[in-house]
Amino acid sequence: MNPAPNLFLIGPMGAGKTTIGRRVAARLGLPFFDLDQIIEQQSGVRVALIFEMEGEAGFRRRESTALAEYAARDGIVLATGGGAVLAEANRRLLHERGYVVLLQTSVEQQLRRLANDRKRPLLAAPDRRARLEALAAQRDPIYRELADLIFDPRSATVPEAAHALAGLLETRWQRTRCAA
C-alpha cells in the first residue's frame, strides 16, 4: 500500500475529479486543490486562452510547474487535469508524492456531462465523440498503470460516489499514511 502524503485524482475530463474531489477532501479533513484552477490563478487567464496563446505545449509546461509546486506539499487532495499524466516527470511526481486514484468514466458519460461545456480547448473539435475516444485510447493505459486505486463512480450520484470513495480511502490510504 502506498503511504504517500497526498491524494491525487487522475482521469479523463468529466470524470468528476473536481466535484468528487472537493467532497472527499472535506470528509478526510484535507485541503482541496484543482490543478487547472491553480494554473488560471497563477497566470491570471483561463486555460482556453493559454492554449490559444501558447498552444498545448505551453499549457503543459505551466501544468508541470504547478504540479511540482503542489506535489511538494503534504496532506492535500489534488485534482489533476486529464493530460497531466502525459509527461513522464509528472507521472514520477504523482507516483512518488501521492496515492493516485483513477476516476473512471465512459465516453458516453463524458459526452453527457460535457454537452454544454465550451471552455475545454481539447473538446473544440467537430466530432467530440471521436476526440474523446482518441484521448481515451492514448491516456487510459497511462491512467491504469499509474493508479494505486481505480474507482468507477458511474452509477452513483456525486454525494454517493464521494462517500464511497472516502470510505475506501479511509481504509486503504489513510491507515497506511498514518502508520508511515
Side-chain angles (χ1 to χ4, degrees):
M1 194 57 57
N2 180 352
N6 300 304
L7 176 64
F8 298 137
L9 302 175
I10 65 170
M13 64 180 99
K17 297 180 298 289
T18 300
T19 308
I20 293 171
R22 282 187 204 288
R23 290 174 180 254
V24 168
R27 176 156 166 196
L28 298 177
L30 298 172
F32 174 80
F33 300 96
D34 177 281
L35 197 55
D36 285 347
Q37 290 173 1
I38 292 166
I39 294 165
E40 288 182 346
Q41 288 169 354
Q42 290 177 344
S43 67
V45 297
R46 309 281 292 161
V47 167
L49 185 57
I50 296 170
F51 264 78
E52 185 181 320
M53 301 302 292
E54 299 177 12
E56 185 174 357
F59 172 77
R60 296 291 173 212
R61 280 190 298 277
R62 289 175 182 266
E63 182 177 60
S64 293
T65 300
L67 177 61
E69 177 186 340
Y70 278 76
R73 297 178 180 202
D74 286 344
I76 68 166
V77 176
L78 178 71
T80 68
V85 300
L86 297 175
E88 185 177 332
N90 290 353
R91 291 192 302 272
R92 190 171 38 257
L93 267 176
L94 291 166
H95 173 72
E96 292 172 359
R97 296 288 305 156
Y99 186 83
V100 181
V101 176
L102 166 59
L103 294 185
Q104 285 191 308
T105 193
S106 67
V107 169
E108 288 301 323
Q109 188 94 27
Q110 287 178 285
L111 287 168
R112 282 193 297 280
R113 290 179 180 168
L114 302 169
N116 298 318
D117 190 318
R118 301 290 175 246
K119 298 182 302 184
R120 298 175 197 249
L122 292 179
L123 273 184
D127 186 344
R128 284 180 158 209
R129 176 182 298 281
R131 173 64 58 95
L132 292 171
E133 288 171 348
L135 289 171
Q138 176 194 30
R139 296 175 180 181
D140 281 352
I142 299 169
Y143 294 146
R144 290 179 175 285
E145 181 179 323
L146 187 58
D148 293 303
L149 173 67
I150 298 173
F151 183 75
D152 186 347
R154 282 185 240 189
S155 61
T157 66
V158 169
E160 292 168 345
H163 179 77
L165 179 55
L168 286 171
L169 292 169
E170 286 170 347
T171 60
R172 294 184 185 189
W173 174 59
Q174 289 247 309
R175 285 188 188 156
T176 59
R177 183 172 160 245
C178 292

